[in-house]
Amino acid sequence: MAALAIAAPAATAVARPDDQTQVLQQPYDFPLAPGEQDLQFDQFDDQGGARVLQSVTVDLETTIRANVTVENDSTLPAPELALNLTGTMMVDLEHINQFIGIESTFDGPMDGVAPSDGVPGSGPDFYDFGFIQLTGTDSATKTRSDPEGLDVFVGGGSVTAHLLGSGGFAATGTTEWTQVVTNFGASGTVTVTYTYKWVEAACCFTDGMCSDLTPPDCAAAGGVWSGVGTDCATFACPQPGACCLPDGTCRQETIIGGDTCFSDGGDYQGDDTSCATASCPAGACCFDDGSCTDASEPDCISAGGTWSGLGTDCATFA
């Protein structure tokens, strides 16, 4: 058996280290010939611009199959009876076109078949080739540099892959024949691969630091991604704020949110606040000479005074 597969040339996308892929695949199966079928594929979700589509590749795999019998209707024997099968499959996905042409010859019995005996469907002039099939593949890619671009593939809807297949049989080695074909059809898969890259933007960390990262890298590092169009050169990440402690002192926190401040019984003044400007409540500090000053507990003790507690003040404390 000799086989020939013909596939149209396709453009090739060059993969880069930061490329990611999303693969969608659907099967098809329809009778021939001809026959056709539409497949719906989800459009590429760019997640609000966080992912940029680089290329779309369509891989087509097809098998054309049938059960075939051939009967010699000639008055002459057919010592080299054979069956030729040809088939085509085409797919169009938003102008990404592919064509597969396949052909093969299946040999009959080694001794051939006899002249027609006039009895249809049996006898020495009849041969059952059984189940035969041919398989072919093709691939095509469209990149961002294509004049039509890739906008049609981006969105929240779907794109349609239209399949059209055909095929035919011919007996060789005889001038007259009858062929019976059943279960004649085509099946296979269409695979759509979206190749994309993530966009880098400002990634803010709990300590107020910033790095330009992709969303997955930012999440993996424990940061918060600030969105498309931001970068560390121009975006202000939230900074750890001031914490007013129970002794009246102020502590500049090292992480945003104030969790450590609250756990120490303090009053967090909010992200982006500073002890230089925070107004933390103090307490009345009394001295042996009867004088009083409002101060934090450490400052009061270091000055030799007696601290009266947070929330007191010299204006009202006796």
Side-chain angles (χ1 to χ4, degrees):
M1 178 181 73
L4 174 64
I6 305 171
T12 301
V14 178
R16 294 173 296 180
D18 59 346
D19 282 344
Q20 305 290 320
T21 57
Q22 177 185 353
V23 180
L24 309 174
Q25 186 178 83
Q26 291 195 55
Y28 65 88
D29 193 335
F30 53 84
L32 295 175
E36 56 188 321
Q37 186 175 344
D38 286 341
L39 301 177
Q40 301 296 319
F41 288 88
D42 290 340
Q43 287 179 299
F44 175 74
D45 179 6
D46 67 355
Q47 298 190 12
R51 306 194 303 179
V52 179
L53 186 61
Q54 302 296 302
S55 65
V56 180
T57 298
V58 180
D59 291 297
L60 173 64
E61 184 274 328
T62 192
T63 296
I64 295 178
R65 83 281 175 174
N67 291 88
V68 185
T69 64
V70 173
E71 190 160 17
N72 184 15
D73 293 334
S74 172
T75 58
L76 299 174
E80 296 181 356
L81 180 68
L83 179 69
N84 180 258
L85 167 61
T86 59
T88 62
M89 182 61 66
M90 293 175 284
V91 63
D92 177 10
L93 177 67
E94 299 298 340
H95 303 297
I96 300 181
N97 299 300
Q98 296 165 276
F99 172 84
I100 296 175
I102 47 182
E103 179 181 355
S104 185
T105 298
F106 298 85
D107 295 330
M110 184 177 298
D111 297 331
V113 296
S116 175
D117 62 3
V119 179
S122 63
D125 60 345
F126 176 87
Y127 184 71
D128 185 357
F129 283 88
F131 179 76
I132 58 177
Q133 64 179 5
L134 295 176
T135 298
T137 60
D138 190 23
S139 181
T141 297
K142 179 181 283 190
T143 66
R144 293 181 65 197
S145 61
D146 187 277
E148 296 178 346
L150 300 176
D151 289 347
V152 70
F153 293 99
V154 180
S158 62
V159 288
T160 302
H162 180 68
L163 290 148
L164 177 63
S166 64
F169 301 88
T172 61
T174 179
T175 57
E176 299 177 62
W177 71 90
T178 297
Q179 64 185 29
V180 177
V181 179
T182 58
N183 301 318
F184 189 24
S187 61
T189 58
V190 176
T191 304
V192 177
T193 301
Y194 295 130
T195 300
Y196 64 93
K197 69 174 183 178
W198 287 100
V199 172
E200 288 189 348
C203 177
C204 296
F205 296 94
T206 57
D207 61 0
M209 298 298 290
C210 180
S211 293
D212 289 325
L213 298 172
T214 65
D217 289 344
C218 180
V224 176
W225 205 64
S226 301
V228 177
T230 63
D231 60 69
C232 291
T234 59
F235 186 79
C237 289
Q239 297 299 305
C243 176
C244 292
L245 294 168
D247 62 2
T249 59
C250 181
R251 181 179 72 195
Q252 195 69 38
E253 296 299 278
T254 58
I255 61 172
I256 63 174
D259 288 350
T260 55
C261 178
F262 297 136
S263 65
D264 290 338
D267 183 13
Y268 189 60
Q269 303 301 292
D271 294 340
D272 297 317
T273 59
S274 170
C275 283
T277 57
S279 298
C280 292
C285 180
C286 300
F287 296 94
D288 291 342
D289 61 3
S291 61
C292 178
T293 186
D294 293 326
S296 67
E297 182 179 14
D299 289 345
C300 179
I301 293 173
S302 65
T306 301
W307 198 58
S308 301
L310 190 66
T312 62
D313 60 72
C314 292
T316 58
F317 187 78

